[in-house]
Amino acid sequence: VELAVVVEDIVLRVIRAGPDQMYPEMQIAVLGELATWFNSQQLPEIFLNFDMDRGVLSEFSVFEHVIATLCTIAESAVDTPRHRGKVATGSSSLAGGGRAAELQKQRQLQALEVIAQIMRCLMDISGHAHYMLQSQKVKDLSLKMTTTGATGGWEEDLNLAQLQQSELVPPTARRSTS
């Protein structure tokens, strides 16, 4: 199954649905699962393979749409009169809308937690890439092939090597050749 199709047709559809269309508990559970998708190994794969590779899917950017949806959920109003007390069918109401408002708050907090997880991963990746530029040992370990064929999770970027030779990369970030 294509990840972009799963994200667009299932994941985003569930978390975008209003409280009258989907149980908030289910949305919170899906948001929790979504957080596990974004770690320092999977996040770059998702971004590079689905947002940067225009040959694969030109109309849908997985990372972009997930972030936009998470931000929309995090910014949404918690206790509006229109949604107060509603559940999945839209016909039942809860006592004073307190539970619905609490679930909406949990949904917002879960969306913020996923955004925070993504930001931590981006910071980890950025920091590691910076250390690779600064230290040949870190770069060698990151690119090292093990006896099982696995690497440290990084691949040589030939474009970066060309940039290092140009004036676009500051001298402090260039690797010494000695």
Side-chain angles (χ1 to χ4, degrees):
V1 176
E2 179 74 37
L3 178 68
V5 173
V6 169
V7 169
E8 182 178 16
D9 292 342
I10 299 172
V11 174
L12 292 180
R13 187 169 288 175
V14 167
I15 63 176
R16 284 178 179 155
D20 55 338
Q21 299 168 328
M22 183 70 58
Y23 288 108
E25 295 91 346
M26 184 180 293
Q27 293 175 319
I28 293 166
V30 170
L31 286 166
E33 180 60 30
L34 192 59
T36 66
W37 293 10
F38 296 105
N39 60 44
S40 58
Q41 297 225 332
Q42 292 171 325
L43 182 120
E45 293 294 328
I46 291 170
F47 180 72
L48 292 173
N49 290 323
F50 294 99
D51 284 48
M52 298 302 295
D53 188 356
R54 293 295 162 206
V56 173
L57 198 58
S58 61
E59 296 139 22
F60 190 79
S61 300
V62 172
F63 188 76
E64 177 184 346
H65 282 84
V66 167
I67 295 295
T69 301
L70 291 170
C71 289
T72 300
I73 291 169
E75 294 173 343
S76 64
V78 172
D79 191 23
T80 62
R82 186 176 134 231
H83 294 114
R84 189 175 294 136
K86 298 217 176 180
V87 292
T89 62
S91 60
S92 302
S93 66
L94 300 168
R99 174 140 168 80
E102 182 61 34
L103 288 171
Q104 195 65 2
K105 286 179 189 176
Q106 287 178 357
R107 182 174 170 252
Q108 283 181 295
L109 288 173
Q110 188 67 42
L112 287 170
E113 287 178 23
V114 177
I115 293 169
Q117 171 69 22
I118 291 169
M119 294 307 298
R120 281 190 296 272
C121 287
L122 289 173
M123 293 296 292
D124 288 346
I125 293 164
S126 174
H128 191 86
H130 176 74
Y131 285 131
M132 286 176 63
L133 286 174
Q134 299 297 318
S135 168
Q136 184 62 42
K137 181 179 179 182
V138 172
K139 182 177 180 179
D140 291 343
L141 289 172
S142 298
L143 298 173
K144 181 180 177 185
M145 182 77 69
T146 64
T147 56
T148 62
T151 65
W154 293 80
E155 296 177 7
E156 185 73 47
D157 187 350
L158 299 177
N159 292 328
L160 179 62
Q162 291 172 352
L163 283 175
Q164 286 177 327
Q165 301 304 319
S166 73
E167 294 300 316
L168 296 177
V169 176
T172 58
R174 289 191 199 137
R175 186 178 72 217
S176 64
T177 56
S178 55

